[in-house]
Amino acid sequence: MAAAGDEKLYLLVACALLLLAVGCQASPLQIGFYHDRCPQAEAVVKGVMMEAISQNPGNGAAMIRMLFHDCFVEGCDASVLLDPTPFSPTPEKLSAPNNPSLRGFELIDAIKDALEAACPGVVSCADIIAFSARDASCILSGGKVDFEVPSGRRDGTFSNASESVKFLVPPTSNLSDLVDSFVVKGLDAEDLVILSGAHTIGRSHCSAFVPDRLNVSSDIDGGLAAFLRGQCPADAAPGGNDPTVMQDVVTPNDLDKQYYNNVLSHTVLFTSDAAVLTSEETARMVLDNANIPGWWEDRFEKAMVKMAGIEVKTGDQGQIRKNCRAIN
């Protein structure tokens, strides 16, 4: 008969093997990562974000979008912030999905300057993006979306526009392509539907939807189409005559579940927005988000944390940039 100590050892070994078999690993990120080295870090970020959003709610929408565009390309490593150099003339920020529509670079600079003054060389630009998107979500939702985001990301040293084109599918995409783009990053169809809810805030260039929503037959509501034709030229094109319009005309500055009501009433801008009604599974998710109080907010919090953990660099990987626009 085995001794009690032997049984305990056997159980420990068995549990360890089971964890390895299912690939269970503790996250390299942690809540309160800067508690010792820069305890005021998250408060500094939130202070700058509150001021920026009070001046222009679009600043909050920009940060939420920036997290998505950063994390889906090279992981959440602030590679989207890098400026062109002679050695890297076409970084992500100059790619079609980001230029000229991605905003907020000056706001990131302001947050980084404040953090460098408080704790030089400690807080990564990648974590600044994650904190900013978290704070924007809380502020724009009036506190209904309120979550902690683990930190400890490090900044990448590579950025190339071709990678953005590869991983950021355009707003003309169908549901299958959208889901595939999420699955390759470890997310799923529900994450797609939930995170698309962020289209309840922010603005869009006309060129992102005029060609496939207004210039051809589509399911867009006739009244909205008429309004948009009054705002957008039929030949809207990036770099040309390309005004912007609100994505959600009902509650344009509130991060709420209105997006799902808009999807159901066919008053959304993009083909990719309308696409979430093209399968029974995702259409049911749209209905749940529209109709069940608190349902979307709870899932949005979880999906944001999940997205903010994509392919992160930690430990000895990457670096902590002194200037978010350039590698050290």
Side-chain angles (χ1 to χ4, degrees), residues 163-313:
E163 296 297 297
S164 298
V165 175
K166 186 187 304 181
F167 292 110
L168 296 172
V169 298
T172 54
S173 301
N174 61 33
L175 183 61
S176 176
D177 289 343
L178 291 164
V179 172
D180 287 348
S181 74
F182 271 61
V183 168
V184 78
K185 294 299 176 182
L187 306 182
D188 57 27
E190 184 177 29
D191 295 317
L192 164 67
V193 174
I194 294 296
L195 291 169
S196 293
H199 287 176
T200 187
I201 51 173
R203 304 180 70 89
S204 169
H205 282 271
C206 293
S207 60
F209 60 86
V210 165
D212 63 313
R213 296 285 279 167
L214 298 183
N215 290 350
V216 297
S217 176
S218 75
D219 71 346
I220 195 167
D221 173 77
L224 178 62
F227 169 76
L228 292 172
R229 288 190 180 102
Q231 305 293 311
C232 297
D235 60 351
N241 185 10
D242 196 12
T244 62
V245 297
M246 289 290 186
Q247 294 200 77
D248 171 8
V249 297
V250 182
T251 57
N253 296 324
D254 297 334
L255 186 69
D256 56 21
K257 65 178 184 175
Q258 180 60 40
Y259 167 80
Y260 301 99
N261 296 320
N262 296 346
V263 170
L264 292 168
S265 62
H266 303 284
T267 53
V268 284
L269 297 183
F270 306 133
T271 294
S272 56
D273 290 328
V276 295
L277 287 182
T278 59
S279 86
E280 286 187 17
E281 178 192 18
T282 54
R284 186 172 61 252
M285 294 175 192
V286 171
L287 285 167
D288 288 342
N289 288 314
N291 295 327
I292 304 174
W295 185 271
W296 173 73
E297 289 85 354
D298 178 64
R299 281 155 182 76
F300 186 75
E301 293 170 356
K302 294 178 174 63
M304 285 286 282
V305 172
K306 192 174 175 182
M307 179 170 67
I310 294 174
E311 298 167 15
V312 293
K313 295 170 177 64

Side-chain angles (χ1 to χ4, degrees), residues 12-25:
L12 287 170
V13 172
C15 286
L17 290 172
L18 179 60
L19 285 171
L20 287 172
V22 299
C24 288
Q25 295 180 342

